Amino acid sequence: MKPVTALVGLLFVSSALACPVKKGFIAGGLMPTPAGYAPKCDGWAASSKEGLQSSLGTGQKMSWFEMYSVDAKALKFDNLITQLTRRGYTFVMKTDYGGTLGRRLRDKSGRFLDVSARKMEGNKYFVSLSLIKF
């Protein structure tokens, strides 16, 4: 019994850490991944996604979540937002605080794309994108 239990537990852990991005693309497959953006598919990404899901209110649902590790030189956050607006999203608001840059965009169906870049140790940022339906 123990080997089966361990295997089932491993399957659950593996699915929680599975990389949620379409390989070579960002924002749910909307555009090619910018240079220097490496998908982050580890426990940190999984716990970030879990935390965001638990903070959603009644009637809110996350369609997808992606996280990337990016060097400061490759971040080009404003350029990323411009590329997303050129692909059909409308700018809604800016939410910068502490070491985090945040932007909220809206698609034509009314879903919100939250994009944030959080400065980590050294010269790294974690960029996350999440599509939320209200």
Side-chain angles (χ1 to χ4, degrees):
M1 272 302 192
K2 287 186 181 181
V4 171
T5 305
L7 179 59
V8 170
L10 181 60
L11 290 174
F12 283 120
V13 170
S14 297
S15 66
L17 299 179
C19 196
V21 296
K22 182 177 176 182
K23 188 175 178 164
F25 291 86
I26 193 170
L30 183 65
M31 59 191 237
T33 304
Y37 279 56
K40 187 154 181 56
C41 309
D42 59 5
W44 179 265
S47 66
S48 296
K49 179 181 179 179
E50 257 181 50
L52 179 58
Q53 282 179 319
S54 69
S55 72
L56 295 177
T58 304
Q60 299 174 349
K61 182 182 177 192
M62 185 184 325
S63 296
W64 49 260
F65 175 88
E66 301 173 356
M67 183 176 274
Y68 300 87
S69 177
V70 185
D71 285 330
K73 292 186 303 185
L75 181 62
K76 301 177 184 172
F77 193 69
D78 291 331
N79 186 48
L80 175 63
I81 301 305
T82 298
Q83 294 300 314
L84 291 166
T85 58
R86 287 183 181 159
R87 287 171 169 82
Y89 284 92
T90 303
F91 178 82
V92 175
M93 64 189 263
K94 178 179 180 176
T95 57
D96 295 348
Y97 57 94
T100 303
L101 305 172
R103 302 292 183 274
R104 174 165 277 181
L105 310 173
R106 183 188 331 242
D107 70 8
K108 291 176 184 172
S109 68
R111 296 175 301 179
F112 289 103
L113 175 60
D114 288 336
V115 184
S116 68
R118 181 177 180 191
K119 185 158 179 34
M120 302 308 287
E121 279 189 38
N123 206 25
K124 288 278 187 197
Y125 280 83
F126 288 167
V127 176
S128 64
L129 298 97
S130 54
L131 190 65
I132 310 290
K133 181 178 181 182
F134 285 81

